[in-house]
Short mmCIF file of all heavy atoms in Angstrom, two decimals:
data_model
loop_
_atom_site.label_atom_id
_atom_site.label_comp_id
_atom_site.label_asym_id
_atom_site.label_seq_id
_atom_site.Cartn_x
_atom_site.Cartn_y
_atom_site.Cartn_z
N SER A 1 185.16 208.99 -5.84
CA SER A 1 186.39 209.78 -5.84
C SER A 1 187.45 209.18 -4.97
O SER A 1 188.64 209.34 -5.22
CB SER A 1 186.08 211.20 -5.40
OG SER A 1 185.53 211.20 -4.08
N LYS A 2 187.07 208.42 -3.94
CA LYS A 2 188.06 207.85 -3.02
C LYS A 2 188.91 206.81 -3.70
O LYS A 2 190.13 206.76 -3.53
CB LYS A 2 187.36 207.26 -1.80
CG LYS A 2 188.30 206.59 -0.83
CD LYS A 2 187.53 206.00 0.34
CE LYS A 2 188.47 205.29 1.31
NZ LYS A 2 187.76 204.68 2.44
N ASN A 3 188.29 205.94 -4.49
CA ASN A 3 189.01 204.81 -5.09
C ASN A 3 189.43 205.05 -6.54
O ASN A 3 190.44 204.53 -7.00
CB ASN A 3 188.15 203.55 -5.03
CG ASN A 3 187.97 203.07 -3.60
OD1 ASN A 3 188.87 203.16 -2.79
ND2 ASN A 3 186.77 202.57 -3.32
N TYR A 4 188.62 205.84 -7.29
CA TYR A 4 188.86 205.97 -8.72
C TYR A 4 188.95 207.42 -9.21
O TYR A 4 188.87 207.67 -10.40
CB TYR A 4 187.73 205.25 -9.49
CG TYR A 4 187.61 203.78 -9.16
CD1 TYR A 4 186.47 203.29 -8.55
CD2 TYR A 4 188.66 202.90 -9.45
CE1 TYR A 4 186.35 201.94 -8.25
CE2 TYR A 4 188.55 201.57 -9.14
CZ TYR A 4 187.40 201.09 -8.54
OH TYR A 4 187.30 199.75 -8.24
N ASP A 5 189.05 208.36 -8.26
CA ASP A 5 189.21 209.79 -8.61
C ASP A 5 188.00 210.36 -9.34
O ASP A 5 188.11 211.37 -10.00
CB ASP A 5 190.49 210.01 -9.44
CG ASP A 5 191.74 209.70 -8.68
OD1 ASP A 5 192.01 210.41 -7.68
OD2 ASP A 5 192.46 208.76 -9.05
N GLY A 6 186.85 209.72 -9.23
CA GLY A 6 185.66 210.27 -9.85
C GLY A 6 185.02 209.36 -10.86
O GLY A 6 184.95 208.14 -10.70
N LEU A 7 184.54 209.95 -11.95
CA LEU A 7 183.75 209.24 -12.94
C LEU A 7 184.54 208.15 -13.65
O LEU A 7 185.70 208.35 -14.02
CB LEU A 7 183.22 210.23 -13.98
CG LEU A 7 182.20 209.74 -14.99
CD1 LEU A 7 180.88 209.37 -14.32
CD2 LEU A 7 181.96 210.82 -16.05
N PHE A 8 183.91 206.98 -13.86
CA PHE A 8 184.56 205.89 -14.57
C PHE A 8 183.53 205.14 -15.40
O PHE A 8 182.33 205.25 -15.21
CB PHE A 8 185.25 204.92 -13.61
CG PHE A 8 184.33 204.27 -12.59
CD1 PHE A 8 183.60 203.16 -12.90
CD2 PHE A 8 184.21 204.82 -11.32
CE1 PHE A 8 182.72 202.58 -11.99
CE2 PHE A 8 183.36 204.25 -10.39
CZ PHE A 8 182.63 203.13 -10.74
N LEU A 9 184.04 204.38 -16.37
CA LEU A 9 183.21 203.50 -17.20
C LEU A 9 183.58 202.06 -16.87
O LEU A 9 184.75 201.73 -16.67
CB LEU A 9 183.47 203.76 -18.70
CG LEU A 9 183.19 205.18 -19.19
CD1 LEU A 9 183.57 205.31 -20.66
CD2 LEU A 9 181.72 205.56 -18.99
N MET A 10 182.55 201.19 -16.82
CA MET A 10 182.77 199.83 -16.38
C MET A 10 182.08 198.89 -17.38
O MET A 10 181.04 199.22 -17.94
CB MET A 10 182.14 199.65 -15.00
CG MET A 10 182.28 198.31 -14.36
SD MET A 10 181.55 198.33 -12.69
CE MET A 10 179.84 198.63 -13.06
N ARG A 11 182.67 197.70 -17.61
CA ARG A 11 182.12 196.78 -18.59
C ARG A 11 182.14 195.35 -18.02
O ARG A 11 183.14 194.92 -17.46
CB ARG A 11 182.95 196.83 -19.90
CG ARG A 11 182.67 195.73 -20.89
CD ARG A 11 181.27 195.85 -21.51
NE ARG A 11 180.90 194.64 -22.27
CZ ARG A 11 181.17 194.44 -23.55
NH1 ARG A 11 181.83 195.35 -24.23
NH2 ARG A 11 180.77 193.32 -24.14
N ASN A 12 181.01 194.62 -18.18
CA ASN A 12 180.95 193.23 -17.83
C ASN A 12 181.16 192.35 -19.05
O ASN A 12 180.70 192.69 -20.13
CB ASN A 12 179.59 192.88 -17.20
CG ASN A 12 179.46 193.41 -15.79
OD1 ASN A 12 180.40 193.39 -15.04
ND2 ASN A 12 178.27 193.92 -15.46
N PHE A 13 181.84 191.21 -18.86
CA PHE A 13 182.02 190.23 -19.91
C PHE A 13 181.46 188.89 -19.46
O PHE A 13 181.21 188.66 -18.28
CB PHE A 13 183.50 190.07 -20.25
CG PHE A 13 184.11 191.27 -20.93
CD1 PHE A 13 184.81 192.23 -20.17
CD2 PHE A 13 184.01 191.45 -22.27
CE1 PHE A 13 185.37 193.33 -20.76
CE2 PHE A 13 184.58 192.56 -22.89
CZ PHE A 13 185.26 193.50 -22.13
N ASP A 14 181.26 188.00 -20.41
CA ASP A 14 180.85 186.64 -20.05
C ASP A 14 181.94 186.00 -19.20
O ASP A 14 183.14 186.22 -19.42
CB ASP A 14 180.63 185.80 -21.31
CG ASP A 14 179.36 186.19 -22.05
OD1 ASP A 14 178.47 186.79 -21.40
OD2 ASP A 14 179.27 185.93 -23.25
N PRO A 15 181.56 185.15 -18.23
CA PRO A 15 182.56 184.46 -17.39
C PRO A 15 183.48 183.57 -18.24
O PRO A 15 183.08 183.01 -19.26
CB PRO A 15 181.71 183.64 -16.43
CG PRO A 15 180.37 184.27 -16.43
CD PRO A 15 180.19 184.83 -17.82
N LEU A 16 184.71 183.48 -17.79
CA LEU A 16 185.70 182.59 -18.41
C LEU A 16 185.60 181.20 -17.76
O LEU A 16 185.25 181.05 -16.59
CB LEU A 16 187.10 183.14 -18.25
CG LEU A 16 187.37 184.55 -18.78
CD1 LEU A 16 188.79 184.99 -18.43
CD2 LEU A 16 187.14 184.62 -20.28
N PHE A 17 185.94 180.19 -18.53
CA PHE A 17 186.01 178.79 -18.04
C PHE A 17 184.68 178.34 -17.43
O PHE A 17 184.65 177.68 -16.38
CB PHE A 17 187.13 178.63 -17.02
CG PHE A 17 188.41 179.31 -17.39
CD1 PHE A 17 188.92 180.35 -16.62
CD2 PHE A 17 189.12 178.94 -18.53
CE1 PHE A 17 190.09 180.98 -16.96
CE2 PHE A 17 190.27 179.57 -18.88
CZ PHE A 17 190.76 180.61 -18.09
N LYS A 18 183.55 178.69 -18.06
CA LYS A 18 182.25 178.39 -17.51
C LYS A 18 182.01 176.88 -17.38
O LYS A 18 181.23 176.44 -16.53
CB LYS A 18 181.15 178.99 -18.37
CG LYS A 18 181.06 180.51 -18.27
CD LYS A 18 179.85 181.05 -19.01
CE LYS A 18 179.96 180.83 -20.49
NZ LYS A 18 178.82 181.47 -21.20
N GLU A 19 182.65 176.09 -18.20
CA GLU A 19 182.45 174.66 -18.18
C GLU A 19 183.36 173.94 -17.21
O GLU A 19 183.22 172.74 -16.99
CB GLU A 19 182.65 174.07 -19.59
CG GLU A 19 181.77 174.71 -20.67
CD GLU A 19 180.30 174.61 -20.34
OE1 GLU A 19 179.88 173.56 -19.78
OE2 GLU A 19 179.54 175.54 -20.64
N SER A 20 184.30 174.65 -16.59
CA SER A 20 185.24 174.02 -15.66
C SER A 20 184.74 174.20 -14.23
O SER A 20 183.68 174.76 -13.98
CB SER A 20 186.63 174.64 -15.82
OG SER A 20 186.64 175.98 -15.34
N ILE A 21 185.51 173.70 -13.28
CA ILE A 21 185.13 173.80 -11.88
C ILE A 21 185.21 175.24 -11.37
O ILE A 21 184.51 175.62 -10.43
CB ILE A 21 186.00 172.88 -11.01
CG1 ILE A 21 185.44 172.75 -9.61
CG2 ILE A 21 187.45 173.35 -10.98
CD1 ILE A 21 186.17 171.74 -8.75
N PHE A 22 186.00 176.08 -12.02
CA PHE A 22 186.15 177.47 -11.65
C PHE A 22 185.50 178.37 -12.70
O PHE A 22 185.68 178.15 -13.91
CB PHE A 22 187.62 177.86 -11.47
CG PHE A 22 188.27 177.26 -10.26
CD1 PHE A 22 189.06 176.13 -10.40
CD2 PHE A 22 188.11 177.82 -9.03
CE1 PHE A 22 189.67 175.56 -9.27
CE2 PHE A 22 188.71 177.29 -7.90
CZ PHE A 22 189.49 176.15 -8.04
N LYS A 23 184.79 179.39 -12.24
CA LYS A 23 184.25 180.40 -13.12
C LYS A 23 184.91 181.72 -12.78
O LYS A 23 184.93 182.12 -11.61
CB LYS A 23 182.72 180.50 -12.94
CG LYS A 23 182.09 181.52 -13.88
CD LYS A 23 180.56 181.58 -13.68
CE LYS A 23 180.19 182.25 -12.38
NZ LYS A 23 178.72 182.43 -12.27
N VAL A 24 185.43 182.41 -13.78
CA VAL A 24 186.18 183.65 -13.56
C VAL A 24 185.47 184.80 -14.26
O VAL A 24 185.22 184.75 -15.46
CB VAL A 24 187.63 183.51 -14.11
CG1 VAL A 24 188.40 184.81 -13.87
CG2 VAL A 24 188.34 182.33 -13.45
N ASP A 25 185.14 185.82 -13.47
CA ASP A 25 184.52 187.05 -13.99
C ASP A 25 185.56 188.17 -13.96
O ASP A 25 186.14 188.45 -12.89
CB ASP A 25 183.29 187.46 -13.17
CG ASP A 25 182.04 186.83 -13.68
OD1 ASP A 25 181.92 186.65 -14.90
OD2 ASP A 25 181.15 186.52 -12.89
N LEU A 26 185.74 188.83 -15.07
CA LEU A 26 186.63 189.99 -15.17
C LEU A 26 185.78 191.24 -15.44
O LEU A 26 184.95 191.21 -16.35
CB LEU A 26 187.67 189.83 -16.27
CG LEU A 26 188.59 188.61 -16.16
CD1 LEU A 26 189.55 188.57 -17.34
CD2 LEU A 26 189.34 188.63 -14.85
N GLN A 27 186.00 192.28 -14.66
CA GLN A 27 185.23 193.52 -14.84
C GLN A 27 186.23 194.69 -14.91
O GLN A 27 186.70 195.19 -13.89
CB GLN A 27 184.29 193.72 -13.65
CG GLN A 27 183.30 194.84 -13.84
CD GLN A 27 182.32 194.90 -12.68
OE1 GLN A 27 182.66 195.30 -11.59
NE2 GLN A 27 181.09 194.49 -12.94
N PRO A 28 186.56 195.11 -16.14
CA PRO A 28 187.53 196.22 -16.29
C PRO A 28 186.86 197.57 -16.17
O PRO A 28 185.66 197.74 -16.41
CB PRO A 28 188.07 195.99 -17.71
CG PRO A 28 186.92 195.33 -18.44
CD PRO A 28 186.19 194.50 -17.43
N TYR A 29 187.66 198.55 -15.75
CA TYR A 29 187.22 199.93 -15.61
C TYR A 29 188.14 200.83 -16.47
O TYR A 29 189.34 200.59 -16.53
CB TYR A 29 187.35 200.43 -14.16
CG TYR A 29 186.53 199.72 -13.13
CD1 TYR A 29 186.85 198.43 -12.69
CD2 TYR A 29 185.42 200.33 -12.57
CE1 TYR A 29 186.12 197.79 -11.74
CE2 TYR A 29 184.69 199.71 -11.59
CZ TYR A 29 185.01 198.45 -11.17
OH TYR A 29 184.30 197.82 -10.21
N PHE A 30 187.52 201.84 -17.07
CA PHE A 30 188.32 202.94 -17.61
C PHE A 30 188.04 204.15 -16.77
O PHE A 30 186.89 204.61 -16.66
CB PHE A 30 187.96 203.23 -19.08
CG PHE A 30 188.67 204.42 -19.63
CD1 PHE A 30 190.04 204.41 -19.84
CD2 PHE A 30 187.99 205.60 -19.90
CE1 PHE A 30 190.71 205.51 -20.34
CE2 PHE A 30 188.64 206.72 -20.39
CZ PHE A 30 190.01 206.66 -20.60
N LEU A 31 189.07 204.71 -16.16
CA LEU A 31 188.92 205.80 -15.17
C LEU A 31 188.94 207.13 -15.89
O LEU A 31 189.98 207.75 -16.04
CB LEU A 31 190.01 205.66 -14.12
CG LEU A 31 190.15 204.28 -13.51
CD1 LEU A 31 191.19 204.26 -12.44
CD2 LEU A 31 188.83 203.79 -12.98
N LEU A 32 187.76 207.55 -16.29
CA LEU A 32 187.62 208.70 -17.17
C LEU A 32 188.12 210.00 -16.50
O LEU A 32 188.88 210.76 -17.08
CB LEU A 32 186.17 208.85 -17.60
CG LEU A 32 185.84 210.00 -18.53
CD1 LEU A 32 186.61 209.86 -19.84
CD2 LEU A 32 184.32 210.04 -18.81
N GLN A 33 187.66 210.21 -15.27
CA GLN A 33 188.03 211.47 -14.60
C GLN A 33 189.51 211.51 -14.25
O GLN A 33 190.14 212.56 -14.31
CB GLN A 33 187.17 211.67 -13.36
CG GLN A 33 187.25 213.08 -12.79
CD GLN A 33 186.09 213.40 -11.87
OE1 GLN A 33 185.04 212.78 -11.96
NE2 GLN A 33 186.27 214.39 -11.02
N ARG A 34 190.08 210.37 -13.90
CA ARG A 34 191.52 210.30 -13.62
C ARG A 34 192.31 210.68 -14.87
O ARG A 34 193.35 211.33 -14.79
CB ARG A 34 191.91 208.93 -13.10
CG ARG A 34 193.36 208.81 -12.70
CD ARG A 34 193.71 207.42 -12.20
NE ARG A 34 193.07 207.10 -10.95
CZ ARG A 34 193.18 205.90 -10.34
NH1 ARG A 34 193.87 204.93 -10.89
NH2 ARG A 34 192.54 205.68 -9.20
N SER A 35 191.83 210.23 -16.03
CA SER A 35 192.54 210.54 -17.26
C SER A 35 192.43 212.02 -17.60
O SER A 35 193.37 212.62 -18.18
CB SER A 35 191.96 209.71 -18.40
OG SER A 35 190.65 210.12 -18.75
N LEU A 36 191.32 212.66 -17.22
CA LEU A 36 191.13 214.10 -17.54
C LEU A 36 191.96 214.99 -16.63
O LEU A 36 192.52 215.99 -17.07
CB LEU A 36 189.65 214.43 -17.45
CG LEU A 36 188.75 213.76 -18.51
CD1 LEU A 36 187.28 214.14 -18.22
CD2 LEU A 36 189.13 214.18 -19.89
N ILE A 37 192.04 214.64 -15.33
CA ILE A 37 192.78 215.52 -14.41
C ILE A 37 194.28 215.29 -14.50
O ILE A 37 195.08 216.12 -14.07
CB ILE A 37 192.29 215.37 -12.97
CG1 ILE A 37 192.48 213.93 -12.46
CG2 ILE A 37 190.81 215.75 -12.87
CD1 ILE A 37 192.03 213.72 -11.02
N GLY A 38 194.72 214.11 -14.99
CA GLY A 38 196.13 213.86 -15.23
C GLY A 38 196.93 213.47 -14.00
O GLY A 38 198.16 213.39 -14.07
N ASN A 39 196.24 213.20 -12.88
CA ASN A 39 196.94 212.71 -11.68
C ASN A 39 195.92 211.96 -10.85
O ASN A 39 194.76 211.82 -11.22
CB ASN A 39 197.58 213.85 -10.89
CG ASN A 39 196.61 214.96 -10.54
OD1 ASN A 39 195.60 214.71 -9.86
ND2 ASN A 39 196.86 216.17 -11.02
N THR A 40 196.36 211.47 -9.69
CA THR A 40 195.46 210.69 -8.84
C THR A 40 195.65 211.06 -7.37
O THR A 40 196.76 211.38 -6.93
CB THR A 40 195.71 209.19 -9.01
OG1 THR A 40 194.86 208.46 -8.11
CG2 THR A 40 197.16 208.79 -8.76
#
């Protein structure tokens, strides 16, 4: 609740640029409870 106002959904994806010197991981969230209460 402190950072995301409660319940959220999270998804992992395969890293980007795996063959390069840098590997980038993106982890998006959908903030379910924030969307239901309509404020933060």
Side-chain angles (χ1 to χ4, degrees):
S1 60
K2 178 181 178 181
N3 293 323
Y4 302 116
D5 295 296
L7 188 66
F8 59 84
L9 301 176
M10 181 177 65
R11 168 68 192 271
N12 286 321
F13 292 95
D14 288 338
L16 303 175
F17 317 116
K18 289 188 293 185
E19 304 302 324
S20 70
I21 192 174
F22 289 98
K23 182 179 72 174
V24 180
D25 271 326
L26 302 179
Q27 189 175 74
Y29 298 73
F30 175 69
L31 310 183
L32 181 61
Q33 193 161 339
R34 184 180 292 177
S35 70
L36 294 176
I37 61 179
N39 53 60
T40 177

